[in-house]
Amino acid sequence: MTSSSDRTAHLAVYDAFADWETGHTTAHLAQNGYTVRTVGLTREPVTTMGGLRIQPDLALDELRPQDSALLILTGASGWDEGDGLAPFARTARAFLDAGVPVAAICGATAGLAREGLLDDRVHTSAVSFYLAATGYAGGASYVDADAVTDAGAAGGGGLITAGPTEPVAFAREVFALLEVYDAKKLDAWYRLFHDSDASAYEVLQGE
């Protein structure tokens, strides 16, 4: 039996977060039976980089890994300006330790690097030297790719990372990890939204 936690994804929200980076991910999760809930440091409203005001559904200290299928972390200047967003990286550690996946894009990858979560996991980001500047120890595991999934060790959650220009590839990795689409439809989805291949639409519609 599928529990509500199996169909709930949590999107971290904070001031100036890059709202476009996870739009494909959250929209298509919602269209495929997932509930997307927002989580802030508190329940106080935040304003995205695009100027949208968001009221978080819950505060970070209310979030438990067992209540979630995925934690999504998006980019924001705050990842590189002090430790204000570090609690989200610590929460990502708790998710991975509990066997629940985490997906991080853009500056969020630097936050995970500082937390030590990329030291022994295959990962990517904007460029290798961006993460190297954090002083992390995972340079040998960096992959120059649009988006990367590390399946995790036994009992550990999978980790998805991507650079800031790859929101479609980021979504593709999320859908693959959560098995939102089968392989044929996932390929069609990516061709439609990344390559504007109109012929892929019929595959998505099951024709």
mmCIF file of all heavy atoms in Angstrom, residues 73 79-80 83 85-86 88-90 92-93 96 102 104-139 141-142 159-161:
data_model
loop_
_atom_site.group_PDB
_atom_site.id
_atom_site.type_symbol
_atom_site.label_atom_id
_atom_site.label_comp_id
_atom_site.label_asym_id
_atom_site.label_seq_id
_atom_site.Cartn_x
_atom_site.Cartn_y
_atom_site.Cartn_z
ATOM 1 N N LEU A 73 16.257 21.001 -3.181
ATOM 2 C CA LEU A 73 16.968 22.219 -2.796
ATOM 3 C C LEU A 73 17.365 22.985 -4.049
ATOM 4 O O LEU A 73 18.038 22.442 -4.923
ATOM 5 C CB LEU A 73 18.226 21.877 -1.996
ATOM 6 C CG LEU A 73 18.026 21.066 -0.715
ATOM 7 C CD1 LEU A 73 19.379 20.665 -0.146
ATOM 8 C CD2 LEU A 73 17.243 21.881 0.314
ATOM 9 N N TRP A 79 23.331 30.574 -0.355
ATOM 10 C CA TRP A 79 24.235 29.434 -0.189
ATOM 11 C C TRP A 79 25.691 29.867 -0.141
ATOM 12 O O TRP A 79 26.538 29.161 0.418
ATOM 13 C CB TRP A 79 24.043 28.436 -1.336
ATOM 14 C CG TRP A 79 22.770 27.661 -1.266
ATOM 15 C CD1 TRP A 79 21.693 27.769 -2.101
ATOM 16 C CD2 TRP A 79 22.427 26.638 -0.315
ATOM 17 N NE1 TRP A 79 20.708 26.885 -1.732
ATOM 18 C CE2 TRP A 79 21.132 26.174 -0.642
ATOM 19 C CE3 TRP A 79 23.093 26.074 0.768
ATOM 20 C CZ2 TRP A 79 20.487 25.183 0.088
ATOM 21 C CZ3 TRP A 79 22.455 25.075 1.498
ATOM 22 C CH2 TRP A 79 21.180 24.641 1.163
ATOM 23 N N ASP A 80 25.996 31.013 -0.749
ATOM 24 C CA ASP A 80 27.382 31.488 -0.801
ATOM 25 C C ASP A 80 27.611 32.729 0.047
ATOM 26 O O ASP A 80 28.667 33.352 -0.029
ATOM 27 C CB ASP A 80 27.770 31.781 -2.259
ATOM 28 C CG ASP A 80 27.714 30.545 -3.134
ATOM 29 O OD1 ASP A 80 28.221 29.496 -2.698
ATOM 30 O OD2 ASP A 80 27.150 30.627 -4.241
ATOM 31 N N ASP A 83 26.124 31.374 6.579
ATOM 32 C CA ASP A 83 25.624 30.051 6.941
ATOM 33 C C ASP A 83 24.105 30.009 7.116
ATOM 34 O O ASP A 83 23.573 29.080 7.721
ATOM 35 C CB ASP A 83 26.288 29.587 8.244
ATOM 36 C CG ASP A 83 27.797 29.443 8.105
ATOM 37 O OD1 ASP A 83 28.248 29.043 7.015
ATOM 38 O OD2 ASP A 83 28.508 29.750 9.077
ATOM 39 N N LEU A 85 21.683 29.294 5.215
ATOM 40 C CA LEU A 85 20.959 28.152 4.642
ATOM 41 C C LEU A 85 21.546 26.805 5.061
ATOM 42 O O LEU A 85 21.048 25.766 4.637
ATOM 43 C CB LEU A 85 20.938 28.262 3.113
ATOM 44 C CG LEU A 85 20.229 29.499 2.543
ATOM 45 C CD1 LEU A 85 20.198 29.447 1.021
ATOM 46 C CD2 LEU A 85 18.823 29.631 3.106
ATOM 47 N N ALA A 86 22.565 26.832 5.891
ATOM 48 C CA ALA A 86 23.194 25.579 6.335
ATOM 49 C C ALA A 86 22.210 24.607 6.979
ATOM 50 O O ALA A 86 22.375 23.379 6.838
ATOM 51 C CB ALA A 86 24.345 25.888 7.296
ATOM 52 N N PHE A 88 19.394 23.740 5.983
ATOM 53 C CA PHE A 88 18.819 22.903 4.923
ATOM 54 C C PHE A 88 19.803 21.804 4.511
ATOM 55 O O PHE A 88 19.389 20.680 4.189
ATOM 56 C CB PHE A 88 18.437 23.756 3.724
ATOM 57 C CG PHE A 88 17.225 24.604 3.938
ATOM 58 C CD1 PHE A 88 17.340 25.948 4.259
ATOM 59 C CD2 PHE A 88 15.952 24.054 3.843
ATOM 60 C CE1 PHE A 88 16.222 26.735 4.468
ATOM 61 C CE2 PHE A 88 14.819 24.832 4.059
ATOM 62 C CZ PHE A 88 14.957 26.175 4.367
ATOM 63 N N ALA A 89 21.090 22.118 4.501
ATOM 64 C CA ALA A 89 22.089 21.101 4.180
ATOM 65 C C ALA A 89 22.135 20.036 5.269
ATOM 66 O O ALA A 89 22.288 18.842 4.976
ATOM 67 C CB ALA A 89 23.459 21.748 4.003
ATOM 68 N N ARG A 90 21.988 20.451 6.515
ATOM 69 C CA ARG A 90 21.956 19.476 7.605
ATOM 70 C C ARG A 90 20.714 18.589 7.504
ATOM 71 O O ARG A 90 20.774 17.390 7.797
ATOM 72 C CB ARG A 90 22.013 20.194 8.957
ATOM 73 C CG ARG A 90 23.356 20.858 9.233
ATOM 74 C CD ARG A 90 23.501 21.256 10.687
ATOM 75 N NE ARG A 90 22.637 22.371 11.042
ATOM 76 C CZ ARG A 90 22.979 23.653 10.944
ATOM 77 N NH1 ARG A 90 24.173 23.990 10.473
ATOM 78 N NH2 ARG A 90 22.147 24.604 11.316
ATOM 79 N N ALA A 92 19.320 17.825 4.690
ATOM 80 C CA ALA A 92 19.631 16.912 3.587
ATOM 81 C C ALA A 92 20.416 15.711 4.096
ATOM 82 O O ALA A 92 20.184 14.574 3.666
ATOM 83 C CB ALA A 92 20.420 17.645 2.508
ATOM 84 N N ARG A 93 21.333 15.935 5.011
ATOM 85 C CA ARG A 93 22.084 14.820 5.606
ATOM 86 C C ARG A 93 21.134 13.865 6.326
ATOM 87 O O ARG A 93 21.253 12.637 6.185
ATOM 88 C CB ARG A 93 23.142 15.342 6.585
ATOM 89 C CG ARG A 93 23.915 14.228 7.285
ATOM 90 C CD ARG A 93 24.949 14.756 8.257
ATOM 91 N NE ARG A 93 26.047 15.399 7.571
ATOM 92 C CZ ARG A 93 27.062 14.759 6.978
ATOM 93 N NH1 ARG A 93 27.080 13.423 6.974
ATOM 94 N NH2 ARG A 93 28.033 15.429 6.400
ATOM 95 N N LEU A 96 19.277 11.773 3.701
ATOM 96 C CA LEU A 96 20.114 10.742 3.092
ATOM 97 C C LEU A 96 20.406 9.620 4.081
ATOM 98 O O LEU A 96 20.380 8.446 3.711
ATOM 99 C CB LEU A 96 21.412 11.360 2.574
ATOM 100 C CG LEU A 96 21.240 12.342 1.405
ATOM 101 C CD1 LEU A 96 22.551 13.082 1.137
ATOM 102 C CD2 LEU A 96 20.765 11.619 0.149
ATOM 103 N N VAL A 102 17.505 13.157 -2.003
ATOM 104 C CA VAL A 102 17.664 14.612 -2.011
ATOM 105 C C VAL A 102 18.056 15.014 -3.430
ATOM 106 O O VAL A 102 18.847 14.329 -4.084
ATOM 107 C CB VAL A 102 18.754 15.070 -1.024
ATOM 108 C CG1 VAL A 102 19.044 16.565 -1.178
ATOM 109 C CG2 VAL A 102 18.342 14.737 0.412
ATOM 110 N N ALA A 104 19.483 18.449 -5.491
ATOM 111 C CA ALA A 104 20.029 19.795 -5.301
ATOM 112 C C ALA A 104 20.536 20.344 -6.622
ATOM 113 O O ALA A 104 21.209 19.648 -7.378
ATOM 114 C CB ALA A 104 21.167 19.761 -4.279
ATOM 115 N N ILE A 105 20.210 21.600 -6.882
ATOM 116 C CA ILE A 105 20.618 22.238 -8.124
ATOM 117 C C ILE A 105 21.294 23.574 -7.806
ATOM 118 O O ILE A 105 20.976 24.214 -6.801
ATOM 119 C CB ILE A 105 19.395 22.426 -9.062
ATOM 120 C CG1 ILE A 105 19.825 22.957 -10.434
ATOM 121 C CG2 ILE A 105 18.331 23.295 -8.432
ATOM 122 C CD1 ILE A 105 18.695 22.942 -11.475
ATOM 123 N N CYS A 106 22.231 23.968 -8.671
ATOM 124 C CA CYS A 106 22.872 25.277 -8.584
ATOM 125 C C CYS A 106 23.585 25.450 -7.234
ATOM 126 O O CYS A 106 24.308 24.575 -6.792
ATOM 127 C CB CYS A 106 21.828 26.366 -8.836
ATOM 128 S SG CYS A 106 22.463 28.032 -9.039
ATOM 129 N N GLY A 107 23.387 26.573 -6.575
ATOM 130 C CA GLY A 107 24.109 26.869 -5.352
ATOM 131 C C GLY A 107 23.871 25.895 -4.227
ATOM 132 O O GLY A 107 24.696 25.789 -3.305
ATOM 133 N N ALA A 108 22.758 25.176 -4.274
ATOM 134 C CA ALA A 108 22.498 24.182 -3.235
ATOM 135 C C ALA A 108 23.567 23.099 -3.226
ATOM 136 O O ALA A 108 23.841 22.496 -2.184
ATOM 137 C CB ALA A 108 21.120 23.569 -3.415
ATOM 138 N N THR A 109 24.182 22.842 -4.392
ATOM 139 C CA THR A 109 25.252 21.844 -4.425
ATOM 140 C C THR A 109 26.436 22.291 -3.578
ATOM 141 O O THR A 109 27.103 21.463 -2.952
ATOM 142 C CB THR A 109 25.715 21.564 -5.868
ATOM 143 O OG1 THR A 109 26.232 22.769 -6.455
ATOM 144 C CG2 THR A 109 24.562 21.041 -6.724
ATOM 145 N N ALA A 110 26.698 23.600 -3.546
ATOM 146 C CA ALA A 110 27.790 24.103 -2.709
ATOM 147 C C ALA A 110 27.463 23.930 -1.236
ATOM 148 O O ALA A 110 28.336 23.616 -0.420
ATOM 149 C CB ALA A 110 28.061 25.571 -3.025
ATOM 150 N N GLY A 111 26.195 24.113 -0.896
ATOM 151 C CA GLY A 111 25.786 23.887 0.480
ATOM 152 C C GLY A 111 25.991 22.451 0.902
ATOM 153 O O GLY A 111 26.466 22.170 2.009
ATOM 154 N N LEU A 112 25.677 21.521 0.008
ATOM 155 C CA LEU A 112 25.900 20.108 0.317
ATOM 156 C C LEU A 112 27.382 19.790 0.390
ATOM 157 O O LEU A 112 27.814 18.962 1.206
ATOM 158 C CB LEU A 112 25.224 19.231 -0.735
ATOM 159 C CG LEU A 112 23.707 19.347 -0.871
ATOM 160 C CD1 LEU A 112 23.174 18.238 -1.778
ATOM 161 C CD2 LEU A 112 23.013 19.315 0.481
ATOM 162 N N ALA A 113 28.173 20.449 -0.459
ATOM 163 C CA ALA A 113 29.624 20.239 -0.423
ATOM 164 C C ALA A 113 30.189 20.675 0.922
ATOM 165 O O ALA A 113 31.008 19.967 1.529
ATOM 166 C CB ALA A 113 30.297 21.006 -1.557
ATOM 167 N N ARG A 114 29.754 21.825 1.410
ATOM 168 C CA ARG A 114 30.242 22.317 2.702
ATOM 169 C C ARG A 114 29.823 21.395 3.841
ATOM 170 O O ARG A 114 30.522 21.291 4.846
ATOM 171 C CB ARG A 114 29.728 23.731 2.955
ATOM 172 C CG ARG A 114 30.307 24.771 1.994
ATOM 173 C CD ARG A 114 29.882 26.190 2.386
ATOM 174 N NE ARG A 114 30.401 27.136 1.410
ATOM 175 C CZ ARG A 114 29.704 27.569 0.357
ATOM 176 N NH1 ARG A 114 28.462 27.126 0.161
ATOM 177 N NH2 ARG A 114 30.238 28.425 -0.492
ATOM 178 N N GLU A 115 28.694 20.729 3.678
ATOM 179 C CA GLU A 115 28.200 19.798 4.695
ATOM 180 C C GLU A 115 28.920 18.457 4.618
ATOM 181 O O GLU A 115 28.765 17.604 5.494
ATOM 182 C CB GLU A 115 26.688 19.609 4.517
ATOM 183 C CG GLU A 115 25.993 18.691 5.497
ATOM 184 C CD GLU A 115 26.025 19.204 6.937
ATOM 185 O OE1 GLU A 115 26.245 20.418 7.152
ATOM 186 O OE2 GLU A 115 25.836 18.377 7.853
ATOM 187 N N GLY A 116 29.757 18.263 3.582
ATOM 188 C CA GLY A 116 30.489 17.007 3.431
ATOM 189 C C GLY A 116 29.718 15.924 2.717
ATOM 190 O O GLY A 116 30.181 14.778 2.642
ATOM 191 N N LEU A 117 28.563 16.269 2.144
ATOM 192 C CA LEU A 117 27.708 15.254 1.534
ATOM 193 C C LEU A 117 28.147 14.853 0.133
ATOM 194 O O LEU A 117 27.638 13.873 -0.424
ATOM 195 C CB LEU A 117 26.264 15.747 1.497
ATOM 196 C CG LEU A 117 25.631 15.968 2.882
ATOM 197 C CD1 LEU A 117 24.239 16.548 2.741
ATOM 198 C CD2 LEU A 117 25.592 14.664 3.672
ATOM 199 N N LEU A 118 29.080 15.596 -0.463
ATOM 200 C CA LEU A 118 29.568 15.261 -1.796
ATOM 201 C C LEU A 118 30.966 14.661 -1.776
ATOM 202 O O LEU A 118 31.528 14.366 -2.832
ATOM 203 C CB LEU A 118 29.562 16.514 -2.693
ATOM 204 C CG LEU A 118 28.232 17.251 -2.823
ATOM 205 C CD1 LEU A 118 28.366 18.394 -3.822
ATOM 206 C CD2 LEU A 118 27.111 16.310 -3.220
ATOM 207 N N ASP A 119 31.511 14.454 -0.611
ATOM 208 C CA ASP A 119 32.888 13.958 -0.512
ATOM 209 C C ASP A 119 33.049 12.569 -1.106
ATOM 210 O O ASP A 119 34.098 12.253 -1.683
ATOM 211 C CB ASP A 119 33.351 13.950 0.947
ATOM 212 C CG ASP A 119 33.616 15.349 1.480
ATOM 213 O OD1 ASP A 119 33.603 16.307 0.673
ATOM 214 O OD2 ASP A 119 33.831 15.482 2.703
ATOM 215 N N ASP A 120 32.020 11.732 -0.967
ATOM 216 C CA ASP A 120 32.147 10.356 -1.451
ATOM 217 C C ASP A 120 30.949 9.947 -2.312
ATOM 218 O O ASP A 120 30.619 8.767 -2.410
ATOM 219 C CB ASP A 120 32.319 9.376 -0.289
ATOM 220 C CG ASP A 120 31.205 9.489 0.746
ATOM 221 O OD1 ASP A 120 30.264 10.284 0.523
ATOM 222 O OD2 ASP A 120 31.273 8.786 1.761
ATOM 223 N N ARG A 121 30.302 10.936 -2.929
ATOM 224 C CA ARG A 121 29.191 10.663 -3.828
ATOM 225 C C ARG A 121 29.472 11.269 -5.198
ATOM 226 O O ARG A 121 30.001 12.373 -5.295
ATOM 227 C CB ARG A 121 27.877 11.240 -3.290
ATOM 228 C CG ARG A 121 27.340 10.552 -2.037
ATOM 229 C CD ARG A 121 26.054 11.233 -1.594
ATOM 230 N NE ARG A 121 25.381 10.506 -0.513
ATOM 231 C CZ ARG A 121 25.612 10.713 0.783
ATOM 232 N NH1 ARG A 121 26.505 11.617 1.159
ATOM 233 N NH2 ARG A 121 24.958 10.015 1.692
ATOM 234 N N VAL A 122 29.126 10.555 -6.242
ATOM 235 C CA VAL A 122 29.230 11.104 -7.596
ATOM 236 C C VAL A 122 28.287 12.304 -7.694
ATOM 237 O O VAL A 122 27.141 12.236 -7.244
ATOM 238 C CB VAL A 122 28.859 10.040 -8.654
ATOM 239 C CG1 VAL A 122 28.874 10.649 -10.045
ATOM 240 C CG2 VAL A 122 29.829 8.866 -8.573
ATOM 241 N N HIS A 123 28.767 13.399 -8.293
ATOM 242 C CA HIS A 123 27.967 14.617 -8.305
ATOM 243 C C HIS A 123 28.424 15.554 -9.410
ATOM 244 O O HIS A 123 29.463 15.354 -10.042
ATOM 245 C CB HIS A 123 28.096 15.337 -6.959
ATOM 246 C CG HIS A 123 29.508 15.761 -6.656
ATOM 247 N ND1 HIS A 123 30.442 14.896 -6.112
ATOM 248 C CD2 HIS A 123 30.162 16.931 -6.849
ATOM 249 C CE1 HIS A 123 31.600 15.524 -5.976
ATOM 250 N NE2 HIS A 123 31.463 16.766 -6.421
ATOM 251 N N THR A 124 27.632 16.604 -9.618
ATOM 252 C CA THR A 124 28.000 17.669 -10.544
ATOM 253 C C THR A 124 27.519 18.991 -9.969
ATOM 254 O O THR A 124 26.916 19.054 -8.901
ATOM 255 C CB THR A 124 27.432 17.420 -11.953
ATOM 256 O OG1 THR A 124 28.057 18.298 -12.883
ATOM 257 C CG2 THR A 124 25.925 17.611 -11.992
ATOM 258 N N SER A 125 27.789 20.066 -10.702
ATOM 259 C CA SER A 125 27.369 21.405 -10.290
ATOM 260 C C SER A 125 27.541 22.326 -11.488
ATOM 261 O O SER A 125 27.564 21.856 -12.637
ATOM 262 C CB SER A 125 28.198 21.886 -9.089
ATOM 263 O OG SER A 125 27.737 23.143 -8.632
ATOM 264 N N ALA A 126 27.685 23.613 -11.247
ATOM 265 C CA ALA A 126 27.898 24.559 -12.345
ATOM 266 C C ALA A 126 29.217 24.267 -13.059
ATOM 267 O O ALA A 126 29.256 24.049 -14.270
ATOM 268 C CB ALA A 126 27.879 25.989 -11.818
ATOM 269 N N VAL A 127 30.293 24.267 -12.304
ATOM 270 C CA VAL A 127 31.643 23.932 -12.773
ATOM 271 C C VAL A 127 32.412 23.371 -11.589
ATOM 272 O O VAL A 127 32.084 23.659 -10.432
ATOM 273 C CB VAL A 127 32.399 25.167 -13.340
ATOM 274 C CG1 VAL A 127 31.846 25.586 -14.694
ATOM 275 C CG2 VAL A 127 32.347 26.334 -12.361
ATOM 276 N N SER A 128 33.435 22.606 -11.852
ATOM 277 C CA SER A 128 34.167 21.944 -10.766
ATOM 278 C C SER A 128 34.812 22.933 -9.810
ATOM 279 O O SER A 128 34.823 22.722 -8.587
ATOM 280 C CB SER A 128 35.222 21.004 -11.347
ATOM 281 O OG SER A 128 36.154 21.727 -12.132
ATOM 282 N N PHE A 129 35.336 24.052 -10.333
ATOM 283 C CA PHE A 129 36.058 24.966 -9.451
ATOM 284 C C PHE A 129 35.123 25.744 -8.528
ATOM 285 O O PHE A 129 35.550 26.279 -7.505
ATOM 286 C CB PHE A 129 36.966 25.919 -10.238
ATOM 287 C CG PHE A 129 36.294 26.726 -11.317
ATOM 288 C CD1 PHE A 129 35.574 27.870 -11.005
ATOM 289 C CD2 PHE A 129 36.421 26.355 -12.645
ATOM 290 C CE1 PHE A 129 34.978 28.621 -11.997
ATOM 291 C CE2 PHE A 129 35.822 27.106 -13.647
ATOM 292 C CZ PHE A 129 35.094 28.241 -13.321
ATOM 293 N N TYR A 130 33.824 25.788 -8.880
ATOM 294 C CA TYR A 130 32.849 26.402 -7.967
ATOM 295 C C TYR A 130 32.769 25.594 -6.676
ATOM 296 O O TYR A 130 32.797 26.155 -5.572
ATOM 297 C CB TYR A 130 31.485 26.486 -8.647
ATOM 298 C CG TYR A 130 30.351 26.882 -7.735
ATOM 299 C CD1 TYR A 130 30.333 28.131 -7.114
ATOM 300 C CD2 TYR A 130 29.285 26.013 -7.488
ATOM 301 C CE1 TYR A 130 29.288 28.495 -6.271
ATOM 302 C CE2 TYR A 130 28.233 26.371 -6.660
ATOM 303 C CZ TYR A 130 28.248 27.618 -6.058
ATOM 304 O OH TYR A 130 27.218 27.976 -5.222
ATOM 305 N N LEU A 131 32.687 24.282 -6.805
ATOM 306 C CA LEU A 131 32.653 23.445 -5.610
ATOM 307 C C LEU A 131 34.016 23.379 -4.939
ATOM 308 O O LEU A 131 34.103 23.324 -3.706
ATOM 309 C CB LEU A 131 32.174 22.038 -5.964
ATOM 310 C CG LEU A 131 30.714 21.890 -6.392
ATOM 311 C CD1 LEU A 131 30.368 20.421 -6.561
ATOM 312 C CD2 LEU A 131 29.771 22.554 -5.398
ATOM 313 N N ALA A 132 35.077 23.398 -5.725
ATOM 314 C CA ALA A 132 36.423 23.348 -5.145
ATOM 315 C C ALA A 132 36.648 24.512 -4.185
ATOM 316 O O ALA A 132 37.353 24.383 -3.179
ATOM 317 C CB ALA A 132 37.472 23.350 -6.249
ATOM 318 N N ALA A 133 36.029 25.647 -4.475
ATOM 319 C CA ALA A 133 36.187 26.832 -3.632
ATOM 320 C C ALA A 133 35.588 26.644 -2.243
ATOM 321 O O ALA A 133 35.903 27.405 -1.319
ATOM 322 C CB ALA A 133 35.553 28.039 -4.313
ATOM 323 N N THR A 134 34.734 25.631 -2.078
ATOM 324 C CA THR A 134 34.164 25.364 -0.755
ATOM 325 C C THR A 134 35.162 24.665 0.156
ATOM 326 O O THR A 134 34.930 24.571 1.356
ATOM 327 C CB THR A 134 32.908 24.484 -0.853
ATOM 328 O OG1 THR A 134 33.275 23.160 -1.292
ATOM 329 C CG2 THR A 134 31.891 25.074 -1.825
ATOM 330 N N GLY A 135 36.230 24.115 -0.442
ATOM 331 C CA GLY A 135 37.206 23.365 0.334
ATOM 332 C C GLY A 135 36.809 21.938 0.605
ATOM 333 O O GLY A 135 37.418 21.256 1.437
ATOM 334 N N TYR A 136 35.811 21.445 -0.130
ATOM 335 C CA TYR A 136 35.343 20.089 0.120
ATOM 336 C C TYR A 136 36.354 19.056 -0.395
ATOM 337 O O TYR A 136 37.297 19.395 -1.117
ATOM 338 C CB TYR A 136 33.961 19.879 -0.491
ATOM 339 C CG TYR A 136 33.894 19.495 -1.968
ATOM 340 C CD1 TYR A 136 33.073 18.450 -2.386
ATOM 341 C CD2 TYR A 136 34.614 20.193 -2.945
ATOM 342 C CE1 TYR A 136 32.977 18.097 -3.729
ATOM 343 C CE2 TYR A 136 34.512 19.851 -4.284
ATOM 344 C CZ TYR A 136 33.705 18.800 -4.672
ATOM 345 O OH TYR A 136 33.616 18.445 -5.996
ATOM 346 N N ALA A 137 36.139 17.801 -0.032
ATOM 347 C CA ALA A 137 37.099 16.744 -0.365
ATOM 348 C C ALA A 137 36.601 15.828 -1.474
ATOM 349 O O ALA A 137 37.148 14.743 -1.664
ATOM 350 C CB ALA A 137 37.399 15.908 0.877
ATOM 351 N N GLY A 138 35.593 16.264 -2.247
ATOM 352 C CA GLY A 138 34.988 15.360 -3.211
ATOM 353 C C GLY A 138 35.340 15.618 -4.659
ATOM 354 O O GLY A 138 34.653 15.112 -5.553
ATOM 355 N N GLY A 139 36.395 16.372 -4.906
ATOM 356 C CA GLY A 139 36.737 16.722 -6.279
ATOM 357 C C GLY A 139 36.905 15.533 -7.202
ATOM 358 O O GLY A 139 36.542 15.602 -8.390
ATOM 359 N N SER A 141 35.216 12.943 -7.314
ATOM 360 C CA SER A 141 33.910 12.366 -7.654
ATOM 361 C C SER A 141 33.063 13.314 -8.500
ATOM 362 O O SER A 141 31.896 13.021 -8.769
ATOM 363 C CB SER A 141 33.147 12.005 -6.370
ATOM 364 O OG SER A 141 33.831 11.018 -5.628
ATOM 365 N N TYR A 142 33.660 14.434 -8.909
ATOM 366 C CA TYR A 142 32.921 15.394 -9.730
ATOM 367 C C TYR A 142 32.812 14.879 -11.160
ATOM 368 O O TYR A 142 33.774 14.372 -11.736
ATOM 369 C CB TYR A 142 33.616 16.760 -9.732
ATOM 370 C CG TYR A 142 32.839 17.829 -10.474
ATOM 371 C CD1 TYR A 142 31.913 18.611 -9.806
ATOM 372 C CD2 TYR A 142 33.016 18.030 -11.848
ATOM 373 C CE1 TYR A 142 31.176 19.580 -10.469
ATOM 374 C CE2 TYR A 142 32.282 18.994 -12.527
ATOM 375 C CZ TYR A 142 31.367 19.763 -11.827
ATOM 376 O OH TYR A 142 30.645 20.715 -12.502
ATOM 377 N N LEU A 159 21.100 10.719 -4.300
ATOM 378 C CA LEU A 159 21.368 12.147 -4.365
ATOM 379 C C LEU A 159 21.484 12.591 -5.809
ATOM 380 O O LEU A 159 22.298 12.060 -6.572
ATOM 381 C CB LEU A 159 22.655 12.491 -3.610
ATOM 382 C CG LEU A 159 23.094 13.952 -3.681
ATOM 383 C CD1 LEU A 159 22.055 14.855 -3.031
ATOM 384 C CD2 LEU A 159 24.452 14.145 -3.030
ATOM 385 N N ILE A 160 20.680 13.587 -6.187
ATOM 386 C CA ILE A 160 20.701 14.170 -7.522
ATOM 387 C C ILE A 160 21.322 15.551 -7.440
ATOM 388 O O ILE A 160 21.001 16.337 -6.539
ATOM 389 C CB ILE A 160 19.276 14.280 -8.086
ATOM 390 C CG1 ILE A 160 18.672 12.892 -8.292
ATOM 391 C CG2 ILE A 160 19.253 15.079 -9.393
ATOM 392 C CD1 ILE A 160 17.173 12.909 -8.521
ATOM 393 N N THR A 161 22.230 15.860 -8.375
ATOM 394 C CA THR A 161 22.809 17.192 -8.446
ATOM 395 C C THR A 161 22.793 17.672 -9.891
ATOM 396 O O THR A 161 22.838 16.875 -10.826
ATOM 397 C CB THR A 161 24.266 17.208 -7.917
ATOM 398 O OG1 THR A 161 25.009 16.157 -8.551
ATOM 399 C CG2 THR A 161 24.305 17.030 -6.409
#
